Amino acid sequence: MYLGEIARRVLLKMAEEGDLFSKSVPEKLSTPFALRTPDLCAMHLDDSDDLQAVGSILYNATGVESSLSARKIVIEVCDAIVKRGGRLAGAGIVGILQKMEEDSKGLIFGKRTVVAMDGGLYEHYPHYRNYLQCAVTELLGLETSKNIVIEHSKDGSGIGAALLAASNSMYGHDW
């Protein structure tokens, strides 16, 4: 939800202090949430020689007219922000898995473990998925991470709530 806003703020600062988009900074670039995460994804996926999609998205979302060199910098900013987000999420997953391993006295890392991920960011942003997986692999090591499978699960929170309710209803309660 916030990756686009983080990128907008970085680009605004670079435009104000470094003339990234020429001398003038369009007012629309100063508008909070003018750049959204799907915009970042679309720009990040642009592999054309002239980065035309990056230029179009920047213009439509923020009013920025950009040169090819500026568009290349925008891609680097997108990459840095998404890499940071994916690595932070990966670190969170590893922290939870390590706690589960500790609590189960070694029963987690020796077996196949599936981590269900829900959300459009994981589902639609391949760079994010890759950075998240790379962080898990780096933090756990290659051997341990081979047993950790991260799967997209539509409506994961709803499914989790249903599973919890179903498992809880299996037991009699004296309330």
Side-chain angles (χ1 to χ4, degrees), residues 93 97 100 108 111-117 147-153:
I93 289 170
L97 290 171
M100 290 171 63
I108 299 296
K111 297 179 181 169
R112 183 175 190 267
T113 302
V114 177
V115 176
M117 292 289 292
N147 291 325
I148 307 301
V149 179
I150 302 172
E151 293 281 340
H152 179 251
S153 173

Side-chain angles (χ1 to χ4, degrees), residues 110-128:
K111 297 179 181 169
R112 183 175 190 267
T113 302
V114 177
V115 176
M117 292 289 292
D118 188 10
L121 182 61
Y122 188 81
E123 181 180 7
H124 299 294
Y125 206 149
H127 290 83
Y128 179 83

Side-chain angles (χ1 to χ4, degrees), residues 32-93:
F33 298 98
L35 201 57
R36 302 170 313 113
T37 302
D39 298 327
L40 247 68
C41 180
M43 290 190 294
H44 209 174
L45 293 174
D46 184 0
D47 60 358
S48 64
D49 290 338
D50 61 353
L51 300 173
Q52 186 57 46
V54 175
S56 295
I57 292 166
L58 281 174
Y59 184 77
N60 292 334
T62 65
V64 166
E65 301 251 4
S66 60
S67 65
L68 179 57
S69 62
R71 292 191 293 267
K72 287 179 180 178
I73 291 169
V74 168
I75 294 296
E76 289 180 33
V77 167
C78 291
D79 191 63
I81 290 167
V82 170
K83 182 183 282 186
R84 176 185 169 270
R87 292 180 63 77
L88 283 170
I93 289 170

